[in-house]
Amino acid sequence: MPMASHAFPLRPWLACLCMVTVVLLASPAASRGLAVARGDPTEGFTAVSLSESNFVLQRPYDVPSGDRYRLDGGVRQLWVLSSDKPHSPQSNTSPRTEIRMTGYDYSSWVWQFEGYGYVPSGTTGVSIMQVFGAGESATTLMLHVYDGALRYYDRQVVEDGIYDRWFRLNVVHDVDASALAVFIDGVERLRAPGRGGDSHYFKFGVYAQDHDSGCMESRWKDIKILRKD
């Protein structure tokens, strides 16, 4: 069971940290929404209004929400076990405890997710953020954590040394240009092409992937959704 939100204890490393060179994907087209490479990625965007009703929890269907989720002092702490059930009896997906952002599903324009994330050491084999919706797949973007590195799916490294620190994450999705950018602490670390689809939304939390640890956890605060028309 994870510790209280304010304790932030270190956990044992599950594997040695792999040093990998960051590779950036080139966007297939110039984009008005992805023009800033460093600085404040929210410049020119307008934040939408969010209330607690926009944060919808998905958790293993057979456990109470308090056994996998805690909101304390503005910090959202989400965890899941590799042995957990999926989020509904009808699903055959892997275990997850995620927040599905509702009320702002989108199909055009430029949208942005901003949040401050924290991944305790020992958490691995997990997706911590998604842009859901695509043409021939479920997602346009997934950010995975493997042994302390934040990755684009299970591929190139977006940010090394992600464990045990707060980091600012900005994900910009220009639907019309079919392009995405990921910023860590105000610096652009990834450009990737879109994957089609006519409806998208943001998710964050923990969603088990290959080679997952026994317990997976992430913490989040100051979540925003922004838009540029």
Side-chain angles (χ1 to χ4, degrees):
M1 176 66 64
M3 306 298 289
S5 299
H6 303 297
F8 301 150
L10 293 177
R11 294 178 179 165
W13 287 80
L14 298 183
C16 294
L17 182 64
C18 180
M19 302 303 293
V20 183
T21 301
V22 175
V23 180
L24 301 182
L25 284 179
S27 172
S31 165
R32 67 185 181 279
L34 306 183
V36 178
R38 59 180 60 242
D40 185 1
T42 67
E43 184 177 354
F45 285 77
T46 301
V48 303
S49 176
L50 293 177
S51 68
E52 200 56 36
S53 64
N54 298 113
F55 295 78
V56 174
L57 180 67
Q58 297 177 343
R59 69 182 192 281
Y61 69 81
D62 61 339
V63 298
S65 60
D67 286 354
R68 295 293 182 270
Y69 172 69
R70 184 178 298 126
L71 174 58
D72 183 14
V75 176
R76 301 176 189 272
Q77 183 183 18
L78 306 98
W79 65 98
V80 74
L81 307 181
S82 60
S83 58
D84 276 338
K85 298 284 198 304
H87 65 290
S88 76
Q90 294 76 34
S91 175
N92 60 1
T93 59
S94 298
R96 73 181 76 198
T97 304
E98 290 185 300
I99 297 289
R100 191 268 206 228
M101 300 303 298
T102 62
Y104 294 101
D105 293 14
Y106 60 93
S107 58
S108 60
W109 301 331
V110 188
W111 291 80
Q112 182 171 173
F113 170 92
E114 179 179 74
Y116 288 80
Y118 184 103
V119 181
S121 60
T123 288
T124 194
V126 65
S127 170
I128 63 168
M129 190 272 169
Q130 302 183 47
V131 176
F132 195 84
E136 298 183 358
S137 59
T139 62
T140 289
L141 174 77
M142 294 181 81
L143 294 175
H144 292 184
V145 172
Y146 289 101
D147 298 327
L150 184 68
R151 292 177 175 266
Y152 174 69
Y153 292 91
D154 58 355
R155 304 165 202 171
Q156 63 263 38
V157 173
V158 176
E159 178 81 355
D160 239 334
I162 207 71
Y163 283 155
D164 301 321
R165 67 179 179 92
W166 286 104
F167 57 92
R168 180 190 180 194
L169 173 66
N170 295 80
V171 175
V172 181
H173 186 193
D174 188 331
V175 181
D176 299 334
S178 190
L180 296 102
V182 177
F183 296 77
I184 303 293
D185 295 327
V187 179
E188 184 182 297
R189 303 307 301 268
L190 174 78
R191 286 201 175 209
R195 293 185 165 197
D198 55 9
S199 182
H200 305 278
Y201 55 82
F202 299 120
K203 301 181 77 175
F204 65 93
V206 278
Y207 177 25
Q209 305 296 309
D210 293 336
H211 310 296
D212 50 330
S213 50
C215 180
M216 294 150 277
E217 179 184 346
S218 68
R219 304 163 191 162
W220 296 87
K221 62 183 180 180
D222 300 331
I223 302 297
K224 295 178 183 176
I225 295 176
L226 308 98
R227 189 179 76 184
K228 178 187 286 186
D229 296 347

